[in-house]
Amino acid sequence: MRISHLGICGVALVGLFLLLEDGMSLYRMPGIPLHQLSGPEVFNGKVLHSMDYAAMANDCAAELVTNKRVTIIGFQKSAVDIATEVADRNGVDHPCTLIFRTVHWIVPDYFIALTFKSLNRFTEFMVHKPDQGFFIWLLVILLSPLLWIFSKLVEAYLKRKQPLKKYNMVPEHGFLKQISSCMFTVLPANFYDKVEEGSLVLKKSQSFNFCKNGLVIDSEETPIATDIVIFATGYKSDEKLKNIFKSSYFQKCITESLAPFYRECIHPQIPQLAILGYADSPAFLYTTEMKSKWLAHFLAGKFKLPTIGEMEADMKKWEKCMKYYANESYKRSCISVLLQIYCNDQICKDMGFNPRRKKWLLAELFAPYCPDDYKYLCWQM
C-alpha cells in the first residue's frame, strides 16, 4: 500500500465515523452572559443537551418529560422533533416552549423525495462549479434564473401550506441559501397542529438568561416557567476530531483549516487518516457510501492521490464555490447538495469508472441519480 503524495509506504488509512462524545464540552451551546444570576447554575430545574435526550431509552425519556414544563432551545431537526414529541405527550396542561433565534424553512417529509427527484444533471447546469470553463460559466449564467424561480416557488408553496405568517415564522433568507448551507429540516406532521392547540409555544428571541424558576427572554419581562431545558443546538464535530491527536500541528490542521477535506474525506497535511461521515448532507448515508467506495478503491491501490498542493488548490476552489451560494451560512463540513451528481462524477473518475451511469441521453440529462446508479462500483475492484 502506498500514499503517494506523502511518500509513506506500507501504511493504511484509518476510516473514522465521527461519534459524539459524552460531555458538554463538545456540545455547541449558545452564549450566555457570564454575570451573576444568569447561567444554568441558578436554575432549579434540569439542563441537558438533545444528544443526552436522544441517548435515553424511550421509557426513560418519557418519564423525564411527562407532566413537566419543558423548554427547547434551537430550531433545527432535533429541536422541532423533540418539541413536537413533548407537546404530543404533555398536551395543553404542560405546554412545551420552543425558543429560537433564527427561523428556518422546514418542509414536509414528502417534500424531500420531491426535491431529490428534481435534482438531475440539467439542474446542475444552473449551479457554478469548481474548474468550470467559459462555456459552463455562460450556461450557468443563462440558466440560473430557473434555480431562483424554483426557490421562490418552494417558498410560496410552504407559505401557502403552512401558517407561517400567522405565527411570524417566515424566514428572512431564501430557500436556496438554506439548502446550500445543508440546513434541511423536515417538519413533523403535526407541528403546527400542536401550535394551534396550545401544547407547543413558539418564542423567537435573540438572547435569554436563566432564573430560579425558568428562563427570561429578551422580549418579555415575565420568566418562562420551566422544569427542564433541552439545548438542541448542535455539537462541535471539529473538537471531537481534534482531540484524537496529541500533535498541536495536526490539531491546528483540523481547527484552523478554512476549506473542506479533499473529496470530503482526506486532509492533505495529515497522513494515515481518512474520515467517513464528516461531510454533512441531506442524504448522509448516500454520500458516506460513495466516499467509502472511493476510499476502498484507493486502499486497494487502484488510483493515486494528487500532490498536496493540488489537493489544497482543489479544496480552495470548492470553498469559494460553496461560499458563493451560502455566504455567511457557509460551513466547511457541508457538501453542496446542489452538486451531488458532480461530486459523484469526480469520485467515479478517480476510480476509473464512467461517471455517466444512465443508458440514454434524455435520462442522463433529466432523470435523478440515486444510490442504485452506483451499486456496481464496489464489485469492480
Side-chain angles (χ1 to χ4, degrees):
M1 206 74 63
R2 181 171 72 255
I3 303 180
S4 58
H5 73 289
L6 295 172
I8 300 175
C9 298
V11 296
L13 296 177
V14 180
L16 294 178
F17 284 88
L18 294 183
L19 301 176
L20 180 63
E21 183 177 277
D22 290 334
M24 296 295 283
S25 63
L26 294 181
Y27 295 153
R28 182 174 289 113
M29 306 290 281
I32 301 174
L34 297 178
H35 54 76
Q36 191 176 11
L37 303 180
S38 66
E41 68 278 358
V42 304
F43 178 50
N44 285 341
K46 185 177 181 62
V47 179
L48 67 157
H49 195 272
S50 58
M51 295 299 292
D52 297 318
Y53 181 81
M56 295 180 179
N58 290 339
D59 55 343
C60 293
E63 182 181 355
L64 174 70
V65 301
T66 299
N67 296 327
K68 299 293 198 315
R69 298 167 298 180
V70 181
T71 297
I72 315 294
I73 311 295
F75 199 71
Q76 289 295 312
K77 179 60 177 171
S78 58
V80 297
D81 280 351
I82 295 173
T84 306
E85 178 182 311
V86 173
D88 186 57
R89 184 176 301 280
N90 289 340
V92 296
D93 293 333
H94 298 87
C96 176
T97 302
L98 182 64
I99 298 178
F100 50 91
R101 180 179 299 172
T102 304
V103 181
H104 298 293
W105 297 101
I106 46 181
V107 301
D109 55 357
Y110 63 81
F111 200 82
I112 295 181
L114 179 64
T115 300
F116 277 98
K117 286 181 179 179
S118 67
L119 295 177
N120 49 48
R121 290 196 182 277
F122 179 75
T123 59
E124 291 196 357
F125 284 140
M126 308 174 194
V127 183
H128 288 289
K129 307 169 184 65
D131 291 323
Q132 64 184 7
F134 174 77
F135 177 76
I136 297 298
W137 174 85
L138 182 60
L139 190 61
V140 172
I141 295 297
L142 294 175
L143 295 178
S144 56
L146 296 177
L147 195 62
W148 179 85
I149 292 173
F150 168 77
S151 177
K152 293 305 175 184
L153 288 175
V154 171
E155 294 171 23
Y157 174 81
L158 295 177
K159 289 177 184 178
R160 181 180 178 183
K161 297 293 289 186
Q162 302 170 1
L164 302 183
K165 292 184 178 180
K166 179 178 179 179
Y167 296 109
N168 193 27
M169 296 293 286
V170 179
E172 297 180 359
H173 58 272
F175 182 75
L176 177 60
K177 179 180 178 180
Q178 181 166 313
I179 62 174
S180 300
S181 307
C182 285
M183 293 185 293
F184 207 88
T185 301
V186 178
L187 180 72
N190 55 347
F191 181 84
Y192 281 108
D193 292 339
K194 297 302 175 184
V195 177
E196 183 72 27
E197 73 180 19
S199 60
L200 178 57
V201 180
L202 305 175
K203 298 281 188 179
K204 185 177 180 181
S205 177
Q206 294 302 306
S207 64
F208 64 89
N209 293 319
F210 281 90
C211 64
K212 183 178 180 180
N213 298 318
L215 295 169
V216 179
I217 63 176
D218 57 6
S219 59
E220 300 179 6
E221 295 182 359
T222 304
I224 301 171
T226 302
D227 300 310
I228 300 172
V229 176
I230 302 177
F231 285 97
T233 47
Y235 58 93
K236 304 173 184 177
S237 58
D238 288 348
E239 288 295 316
K240 169 67 178 178
L241 182 57
K242 184 190 76 172
N243 290 342
I244 71 174
F245 297 106
K246 292 184 177 180
S247 166
S248 60
Y249 173 78
F250 288 160
Q251 290 179 350
K252 288 181 179 179
C253 286
I254 298 298
T255 58
E256 296 183 2
S257 174
L258 296 177
F261 290 10
Y262 180 71
R263 298 290 189 261
E264 307 292 340
C265 188
I266 291 177
H267 196 293
Q269 299 289 347
I270 304 178
Q272 299 175 271
L273 176 72
I275 303 165
L276 294 176
Y278 178 78
D280 199 1
S281 169
F284 181 77
L285 293 178
Y286 178 22
T287 55
T288 301
E289 180 186 16
M290 291 300 296
K291 298 299 184 299
S292 67
K293 292 178 179 180
W294 180 85
L295 182 59
H297 278 76
F298 172 70
L299 291 174
K302 299 297 184 180
F303 67 92
K304 296 180 180 180
L305 295 176
T307 65
I308 292 177
E310 290 171 338
M311 286 192 287
E312 291 178 336
D314 181 83
M315 290 155 52
K316 290 180 180 179
K317 291 176 182 177
W318 268 106
E319 178 190 14
K320 182 179 178 180
C321 180
M322 289 191 287
K323 279 184 175 180
Y324 178 82
Y325 291 99
N327 298 318
E328 71 277 1
S329 300
Y330 165 77
K331 54 180 181 177
R332 65 193 183 121
S333 61
C334 176
I335 189 169
S336 177
V337 65
L338 300 177
L339 292 175
Q340 184 68 72
I341 300 174
Y342 180 79
C343 293
N344 289 340
D345 284 353
Q346 291 184 314
I347 289 176
C348 288
K349 290 177 182 178
D350 288 346
M351 295 188 293
F353 300 134
N354 183 3
R356 307 291 185 261
R357 314 300 297 178
K358 305 294 185 181
K359 295 182 179 180
W360 57 302
L361 180 59
L362 289 180
E364 192 65 57
L365 283 175
F366 299 106
Y369 266 72
C370 60
D372 190 60
D373 292 301
Y374 303 98
K375 63 183 179 181
Y376 295 117
L377 295 183
C378 59
W379 297 351
Q380 298 174 352
M381 294 179 59

